[in-house]
Amino acid sequence: MRIQSSATAPTRIAVDSPPTAAFGTLQAALGVVAFSLTFPATAWGLEGFGPWSLVAVRSVLAALIAGGCLLALRVPLPARSHWPGLAVVALGVVFGFPLLTTLALRTSTTAHAAVVVGLLPLTTALLSALRVGARPSRTFWAAALAGAAAVLAFTVTQSGGAVSTADLYLFAALLVCAAGYTEGGRLARVMPGWQVIGWALVLCLPLSLPAAAVALAYEPVALTAHSVTGLLWVAAGSQFLGLVVWYRGMAAVGIPKASQLQLAQPLLTLVWSVLLLGEHLTVAAPLTAAAVLVCIAVTQRARG
């Protein structure tokens, strides 16, 4: 380890810190953009693939990309104590969330799904608080409950007075993804974040590879420009590269600042749903998304 003299250390910090913070913010923002395109890309993928095929094949492709990076960089295997946490990440982020949201998007619009899944930061904050034994303030809980109430009212109103099957899939997706994010955030303190998702993807490969073979044999496939583009994006962009820049950005600027950028994700997805899919938004969709954004902003301030 090279030790700098006390005379030069302050100068080095002053010169390097601003560019690092700016680059970290840019990377986190790129991650948010990548995630905001996930639902429209999934809708495109469903034009040519069945839901099980799309999820399994995307997992296989993402695992091959991640495994290639791990091999190229000669990353050692994680410690044995980290594998249970990686399994939670795999079940929540690699399989659970993609599968449940894909099943929901068969009958739900991307705009509707974006509003419901806009609760993900709140759900993650809740599970994170329970996981580490923290005690958030009353302001935090009030804002979290207000956001949940806004989304619940939106789903009931849009579904004709009842919660639809697609909404149940989306609510389940919130829970499993929040669990995966919480455990991934814990592991990212002891190993690089991109390696967390990389090993989680590789861990799923023995299951996702045969699952893809079986699903492709039973579900019809129509290779179109939309379906192939959607598949490639959710595999490479959402499942791996988006998470790489997101975790690197969080490491550079800190979780609170990066989380502020994620507030724009549901609204970005609404924009993509109109531009890429030609969906027509109801007035309730952007209003609910904005209300959730405000609630998340309040929880962020309340946490600290």
Side-chain angles (χ1 to χ4, degrees), residues 29-226:
L30 289 175
V32 170
V33 173
F35 300 150
S36 71
L37 282 163
T38 300
F39 285 173
T42 299
W44 274 6
L46 286 172
E47 293 180 12
F49 294 89
W52 296 92
S53 299
L54 182 61
V55 172
V57 173
R58 92 181 245 183
S59 179
V60 170
L61 293 178
L64 293 177
I65 297 172
C69 293
L70 292 169
L71 284 175
L73 296 175
R74 298 180 180 180
V75 177
L77 288 171
R80 183 177 299 180
S81 59
H82 295 159
W83 285 108
L86 289 172
V88 174
V89 175
L91 291 174
V93 179
V94 177
F95 265 137
F97 185 79
L99 177 60
L100 292 167
T101 53
T102 299
L103 291 173
L105 286 171
R106 292 182 303 169
T107 56
S108 173
T109 65
T110 59
H112 182 94
V115 173
V116 176
V117 177
L119 277 178
L120 182 57
L122 293 178
T123 311
T124 303
L126 171 61
L127 291 185
S128 178
L130 295 175
R131 180 73 170 84
V132 301
R135 295 183 178 180
S137 66
R138 293 181 179 179
T139 302
F140 173 93
W141 290 115
L145 291 174
V151 170
L152 183 60
F154 171 82
T155 56
V156 171
T157 302
Q158 297 296 303
S159 302
V163 177
S164 66
T165 301
D167 291 326
L168 294 178
Y169 282 135
L170 292 171
F171 287 136
L174 283 174
L175 293 176
V176 298
C177 189
Y181 276 0
T182 299
E183 201 63 23
R186 185 186 67 82
L187 288 173
R189 298 176 181 176
V190 295
M191 59 191 296
W194 77 269
Q195 292 182 21
V196 173
I197 187 61
W199 285 117
L201 286 164
V202 172
L203 182 64
C204 286
L205 193 56
L207 296 176
S208 59
L209 194 57
V214 172
L216 289 172
Y218 283 92
E219 292 180 335
V221 174
L223 298 180
T224 64
H226 275 185

